[in-house]
């Protein structure tokens, strides 16, 4: 769990208890009166370290479908168990863990050596808000609600569409998760970073060209279509990463479309009975 240098406004009772215990332990370590105190650099632990149980770690990595092509970043990496498991158990290409507590970073590096994955797993003492997440295909987190909300615009702006984000315990406000699982009473949430789909797309289709207009809030989309000024009914519009699905009713002949968004272009995915041979270009805004 990430250690921060600022104090989020909300904390769960369990974390309050952990903090109280940490304060009590620290008090016991104070030098006796008159005893010389060795100068130390203390790290402010505003969010105490609380490890994610191994069964929850396994489920988080399964939810994100971590595999050999993935680069994983764990924010608030603690003892390193998530980053290590991503490489050791799921064969991720590489993993990076960041934590602001040097003691946790030292422990994580030692654990990586024990697991014999130190060549593919790196741990850094670093503020999570200064971590470059652009090249991560999977991001894992066990933070706090306010921190998740602060990370949300960074995730949406920096991570590539189709990247996966998994959070232990906490959501990201009105960005609804794509999947939720429970492990031993613990909530785990998955989000798939959505492509920027909003706008009007000119669809070139052998069955007849039409304009498709999409309104978007995160992965939720609402679609309308028209041809020559006449509305065409659209239903079942969904967006999952870069993949857009919708059904167009063209004169009583429903056709299912599946397209892959790449910037301002969309290419049809055909097969399995899907309507193919079409492509689309987004109009300049």
């Amino acid at each position: 769990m990430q250690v921060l240098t600022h104090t989020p406004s909300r904390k769960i009772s369990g974390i309050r208890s952990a903090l109280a215990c940490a304060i009590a332990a620290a008090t016991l370590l104070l030098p006796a009166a008159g005893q010389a105190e060795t100068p130390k650099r203390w790290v402010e632990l505003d969010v105490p370290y609380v490890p994610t149980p191994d069964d929850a770690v396994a489920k988080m990595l399964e939810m994100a479908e971590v595999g050999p092509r993935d680069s994983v970043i764990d924010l608030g990496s603690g003892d390193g168990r998530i980053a290590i498991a991503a490489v050791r158990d799921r064969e991720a290409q590489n993993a990076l863990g960041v934590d602001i507590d040097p003691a946790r970073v030292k422990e994580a590096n030692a654990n990586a050596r024990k697991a014999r994955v130190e060549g593919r797993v790196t741990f850094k003492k670093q503020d999570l808000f200064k971590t470059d997440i652009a090249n991560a295909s999977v991001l894992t987190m066990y933070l706090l609600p306010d921190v998740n909300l602060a990370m949300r615009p960074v995730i949406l702006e920096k991570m590539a569409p189709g990247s996966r984000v998994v959070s232990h315990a906490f959501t990201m406000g009105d960005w609804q998760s794509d999947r939720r699982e429970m492990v031993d009473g613990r909530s785990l949430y998955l989000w798939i970073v959505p492509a920027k789909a909003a706008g009007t797309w000119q669809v070139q289709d052998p069955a007849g060209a039409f304009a498709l207009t999409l309104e978007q809030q995160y992965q939720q989309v609402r679609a309308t279509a028209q041809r020559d000024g006449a509305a065409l009914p659209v239903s079942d519009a969904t967006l999952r990463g870069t993949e857009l699905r919708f059904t167009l009713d063209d004169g009583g002949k429903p056709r299912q479309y599946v397209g892959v968004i790449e910037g301002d272009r969309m290419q049809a995915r055909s097969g399995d009975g899907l309507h193919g041979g079409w492509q689309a270009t987004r109009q300049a805004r």
Side-chain angles (χ1 to χ4, degrees):
M1 195 168 192
Q2 174 68 33
V3 181
L4 303 173
T5 55
H6 67 281
T7 304
S9 62
R10 298 170 60 192
K11 288 183 172 68
I12 60 174
S13 59
I15 291 176
R16 287 197 183 106
S17 298
L19 181 55
C21 292
I23 292 171
T27 302
L28 293 175
L29 295 175
L30 290 175
Q35 180 180 348
E37 181 178 359
T38 303
K40 294 181 180 180
R41 182 180 179 184
W42 294 96
V43 176
E44 185 182 356
L45 304 182
D46 284 338
V47 181
Y49 167 55
V50 181
T52 299
D54 289 337
D55 53 353
V57 170
K59 176 57 72 172
M60 290 172 71
L61 297 175
E62 179 269 318
M63 291 171 68
E65 299 182 356
V66 173
R69 296 183 178 182
D70 286 313
S71 292
V72 178
I73 293 181
D74 181 31
L75 299 180
S77 49
D79 63 7
R81 64 182 62 192
I82 294 179
I84 291 169
V87 169
R88 182 193 61 208
D89 303 337
R90 303 286 301 191
E91 300 183 349
Q93 186 175 56
N94 54 67
L96 167 66
V98 298
D99 202 297
I100 206 168
D101 184 352
R104 297 280 76 79
V105 173
K106 182 178 180 180
E107 180 185 9
N109 279 315
N111 288 337
R113 288 191 294 272
K114 290 178 185 177
R116 298 182 180 180
V117 295
E118 67 270 26
R120 292 158 59 196
V121 180
T122 304
F123 295 99
K124 292 182 180 180
K125 176 186 176 295
Q126 186 168 278
D127 188 324
L128 67 87
F129 290 106
K130 296 179 181 179
T131 301
D132 183 2
I133 63 173
N135 293 324
S137 56
V138 174
L139 187 71
T140 59
M141 309 185 299
Y142 183 16
L143 305 173
L144 285 175
D146 290 352
V147 185
N148 278 17
L149 288 177
M151 282 300 302
R152 185 178 70 188
V154 181
I155 291 168
L156 291 167
E157 180 62 29
K158 298 295 185 182
M159 295 189 74
S163 301
R164 290 89 73 201
V165 180
V166 186
S167 173
H168 176 184
F170 303 114
T171 66
M172 279 196 271
D174 63 353
W175 183 11
Q176 298 297 313
S177 61
D178 292 282
R179 180 179 171 188
R180 179 189 178 192
E181 296 287 345
M182 296 290 293
V183 174
D184 296 332
R186 300 171 182 271
S187 295
L188 308 175
Y189 301 92
L190 167 72
W191 294 265
I192 299 174
V193 177
K196 293 179 173 61
T200 297
W201 298 78
Q202 295 299 323
V203 181
Q204 302 301 318
D205 185 351
F210 61 92
L212 177 72
T213 299
L214 297 173
E215 299 175 5
Q216 177 181 9
Q217 183 179 24
Y218 307 117
Q219 76 272 42
Q220 305 298 322
V221 290
R222 178 178 178 273
T224 57
Q226 62 175 346
R227 178 188 294 130
D228 299 328
L232 298 173
V234 182
S235 59
D236 303 326
T238 60
L239 179 64
R240 184 178 176 85
T242 60
E243 183 182 273
L244 176 72
R245 290 176 173 262
F246 63 95
T247 299
L248 182 78
D249 188 346
D250 192 359
K253 300 177 181 178
R255 293 192 296 268
Q256 186 178 14
Y257 290 72
V258 178
V260 177
I261 298 173
E262 296 181 0
D264 290 329
R265 297 187 62 81
M266 194 179 339
Q267 296 289 337
R269 227 192 66 195
S270 57
D272 298 326
L274 300 174
H275 180 64
W278 61 274
Q279 60 182 358
T281 303
R282 180 162 30 202
Q283 289 183 335
R285 296 169 185 167

